[in-house]
């Protein structure tokens, strides 16, 4: 099948699936509206309007203005699908919009996983359905001792499952398996909306660590109220004890996995990381070690490493100091930041979602490395390599290696 025929076939499949989604979305919206206070309704409609306007602005001008914060692209088609106001429909197929690479590496297009993929509307649907219905927050975190020589394999935003035409997630998982890691950690995001069925299908190929595997909560898991996420913990991640945060330690290191999504603002689609009181109190009581590594879905810096996010200070306050290393996902990219203060920050959100060369990072003083190597993907010609990070801790020392889906070493600290 030619690429043109493939994308035409994909578009027909999406339209058929979307028809059912739209019906459910309209029903869920009517139910939610009946439960909302007027101010809440106005805030949500305003958010949908911002998402719609943002998409039109980028289509016209090529990118977002530097001084304007973005809103979740999952909202982009919301106004027109829900028939609110007189929203002009956005492009819905590859015929209407040729894929562009934005400055942050996002792919602006209508194909699967691109910013205007119609099926992101499932995330909007689940968000509306579960806005007031979250799974209970478990508070029995694992505290596991690890060896003095230990290997971690870390990947973020991996939960796509195989694409119809190919499978970057499978390639990344295969490379992670070769690492023979003691522990593997998923930094969160199972697509489109972290439903029970998506967790069950998309996480089935996750490579298990020799001594345990962990997965973090995220904005996409929260769209379904984290119901699917917590069921997945019980089924596939027993070491996690049904709890969305955990810690590993030895004589030299304390490795902390955080849930930065559960307490995040739902009206902003859980896009900004936050900690709840349960985790803050728990963090304050963790065993003190010479080195601290934090793992989270949400980021502590903006993509350029220039500005700290609202999550940064609460994490430092709960720990009593700045962590030595911090790995996060959320941003679909592989980035190693220059050391700031005592913190070595890394973004490992490039586990599976297709993304391009983030031009705004090229030559940036606070970025040591970001992924720019083209993946030679016929279906996504602009895509650069997906991958994961291998971390080896030996005593107080650390070896970090970003590994591409093709097995190549993309960046190493040694």
């Amino acid at each position: 099948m030619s690429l043109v025929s493939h994308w035409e076939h994909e578009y027909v499949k999406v339209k058929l699936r979307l028809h059912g989604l739209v019906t459910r979305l309209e029903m869920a919206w009517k139910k939610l509206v009946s439960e909302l206070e007027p101010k809440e309704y106005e805030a949500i409609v305003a958010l949908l309007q911002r998402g719609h306007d943002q998409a039109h602005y980028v289509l016209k001008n090529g990118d977002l203005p530097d001084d304007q914060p973005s809103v979740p692209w999952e909202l982009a088609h919301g106004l027109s699908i829900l028939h609110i106001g007189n929203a002009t429909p956005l492009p819905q197929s590859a015929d209407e919009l040729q894929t562009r690479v934005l400055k942050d590496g996002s792919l602006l297009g209508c194909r699967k996983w691109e910013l205007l993929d119609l099926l992101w509307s499932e995330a909007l649907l689940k968000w509306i359905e579960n806005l007031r219905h979250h799974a209970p927050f478990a508070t029995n975190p694992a505290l596991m001792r690890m060896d003095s020589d230990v290997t971690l394999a870390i990947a973020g935003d991996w939960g796509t499952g195989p694409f119809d035409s190919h499978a970057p997630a499978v390639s990344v998982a295969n490379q992670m398996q070769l690492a023979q890691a003691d522990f593997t950690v998923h930094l969160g995001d199972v697509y489109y909306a972290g439903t029970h069925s998506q967790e069950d299908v998309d996480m089935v190929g996750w490579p298990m660590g020799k001594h345990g595997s962990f997965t973090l909560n995220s904005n996409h898991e929260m769209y379904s109220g984290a119901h699917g996420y917590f069921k997945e913990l019980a089924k596939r991640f027993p070491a996690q004890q049904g709890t969305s945060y955990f810690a590993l330690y030895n004589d030299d290191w304390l490795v902390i996995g955080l849930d930065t999504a559960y307490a995040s603002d739902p009206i902003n689609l859980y896009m900004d990381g936050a900690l709840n009181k349960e985790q803050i109190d728990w963090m304050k009581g963790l065993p003190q070690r010479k080195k601290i590594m934090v793992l989270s879905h949400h980021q502590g810096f903006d993509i350029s490493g220039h500005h700290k996010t609202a999550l940064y200070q609460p994490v430092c306050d709960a720990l009593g100091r700045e962590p030595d290393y911090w790995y996060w996902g959320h941003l679909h990219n592989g980035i190693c930041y220059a050391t700031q203060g005592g913190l070595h920050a890394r973004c490992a959100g490039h586990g599976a979602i297709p993304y391009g060369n983030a031009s705004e990072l090229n030559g940036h003083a606070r970025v040591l490395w970001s992924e720019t190597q083209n993946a030679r993907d016929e279906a996504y010609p602009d895509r650069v390599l997906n991958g994961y990070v291998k971390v080896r801790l030996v005593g107080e020392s650390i070896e970090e290696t970003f590994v591409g889906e093709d097995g190549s070493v993309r960046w190493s600290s040694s």
Side-chain angles (χ1 to χ4, degrees):
M1 182 185 293
S2 70
L3 267 181
V4 173
S5 298
H6 169 74
W7 288 119
E8 288 175 346
H9 179 64
E10 283 295 294
Y11 181 61
V12 171
K13 284 172 60 180
V14 167
K15 292 294 282 187
L16 288 172
R17 183 174 170 187
L18 188 68
H19 178 73
L21 280 177
V22 168
T23 302
R24 287 173 58 203
L25 188 56
E26 290 172 342
M27 292 173 62
W29 177 248
K30 288 178 182 177
K31 182 176 184 297
L32 180 65
V33 167
S34 70
E35 299 174 351
L36 292 173
E37 298 293 334
K39 287 186 177 180
E40 290 179 303
Y41 173 80
E42 292 169 8
I44 291 174
V45 171
L47 192 60
L48 289 168
Q49 184 70 57
R50 284 179 62 196
H52 184 82
D53 293 346
Q54 171 180 277
H56 276 292
Y57 181 95
V58 175
L59 286 168
K60 180 180 178 181
N61 297 285
D63 225 310
L64 284 169
D66 292 333
D67 60 350
Q68 181 177 317
S70 64
V71 295
W73 282 84
E74 291 86 343
L75 299 165
H77 291 290
L79 280 188
S80 54
I81 288 176
L82 292 169
H83 309 294
I84 298 173
N86 299 309
T88 305
L90 294 160
Q92 298 184 359
S93 70
D95 289 339
E96 297 175 80
L97 177 64
Q98 184 175 355
T99 300
R100 311 174 193 172
V101 181
L102 302 187
K103 63 185 178 183
D104 68 351
S106 298
L107 300 183
L108 179 65
C110 300
R111 301 178 304 172
K112 191 172 182 67
W113 308 125
E114 296 179 339
L115 293 178
L116 292 179
D117 176 0
L118 278 166
L119 291 180
W120 287 120
S121 299
E122 182 173 8
L124 176 59
L125 164 65
K126 301 308 293 186
W127 174 68
I128 288 172
E129 286 182 336
N130 292 280
L131 192 62
R132 297 182 181 277
H133 307 287
H134 295 168
F137 186 78
T139 56
N140 183 38
L143 179 60
M144 294 182 63
R145 187 169 182 88
M146 55 186 184
D147 293 337
S148 59
D149 184 342
V150 63
T151 298
L152 312 177
I154 303 166
D157 305 68
W158 181 84
T160 62
F163 299 2
D164 286 346
S165 57
H166 55 314
V170 174
S171 298
V172 170
N174 290 340
Q175 293 302 325
M176 293 177 71
Q177 201 71 60
L178 292 174
Q180 296 185 317
D182 297 288
F183 298 95
T184 59
V185 182
H186 181 225
L187 298 177
D189 266 5
V190 175
Y191 304 99
Y192 288 91
T195 64
H196 179 51
S197 61
Q198 288 165 359
E199 293 276 350
D200 196 41
V201 171
D202 292 349
M203 292 300 287
V204 70
W206 179 255
M208 293 297 169
K210 289 185 288 186
H211 298 136
S213 294
F214 300 87
T215 186
L216 297 179
N217 196 9
S218 75
N219 55 307
H220 281 268
E221 274 84 339
M222 286 305 299
Y223 295 154
S224 288
H227 296 284
Y229 169 76
F230 281 107
K231 286 182 180 178
E232 186 67 12
L233 288 186
K235 178 179 180 180
R236 193 165 282 132
F237 296 89
Q240 212 159 325
Q241 301 179 176
T243 305
S244 54
Y245 55 106
F246 65 91
L248 308 170
Y249 72 98
N250 59 25
D251 291 342
D252 300 291
W253 285 88
L254 175 63
V255 179
I256 308 168
L258 296 175
D259 181 345
T260 56
Y262 196 91
S264 182
D265 181 7
I267 296 299
N268 196 33
L269 277 74
Y270 314 98
M271 290 295 285
D272 301 318
L275 296 176
N276 55 12
K277 185 178 185 300
E278 292 90 342
Q279 286 185 95
I280 291 171
D281 291 344
W282 169 77
M283 290 167 72
K284 290 178 178 178
L286 286 171
Q288 295 297 306
R289 290 297 184 264
K290 298 171 187 175
K291 299 282 189 177
I292 298 177
M293 178 185 295
V294 170
L295 310 174
S296 66
H297 180 70
H298 293 89
Q299 70 272 32
F301 294 156
D302 69 346
I303 188 171
S304 71
H306 190 71
H307 299 289
K308 296 171 181 175
T309 66
L311 179 63
Y312 182 90
Q313 199 58 48
V315 168
C316 294
D317 290 345
L319 294 174
R321 69 176 180 88
E322 200 172 45
D324 299 283
Y325 287 81
W326 190 345
Y327 284 88
W328 56 69
H330 198 43
L331 307 173
H332 300 150
N333 215 312
I335 308 169
C336 178
Y337 294 97
T339 306
Q340 296 189 40
L343 175 62
H344 303 74
R346 318 290 188 233
C347 176
H350 63 323
I353 290 283
Y355 68 108
N357 182 2
S359 58
E360 69 177 306
L361 301 181
N362 297 343
H364 199 292
R366 297 199 177 185
V367 175
L368 295 177
W369 169 85
S370 65
E371 185 56 83
T372 60
Q373 179 64 50
N374 188 276
R376 298 181 180 178
D377 184 339
E378 186 180 4
Y380 294 87
D382 295 311
R383 183 171 76 84
V384 298
L385 289 172
N386 293 104
Y388 83 100
V389 185
K390 178 181 177 181
V391 176
R392 185 182 179 195
L393 307 176
V394 184
E396 292 184 45
S397 68
I398 180 171
E399 298 174 10
E400 305 169 272
T401 308
F402 278 77
V403 180
E405 65 191 80
D406 59 356
S408 62
V409 173
R410 307 303 309 138
W411 180 88
S412 176
S413 62
S414 57

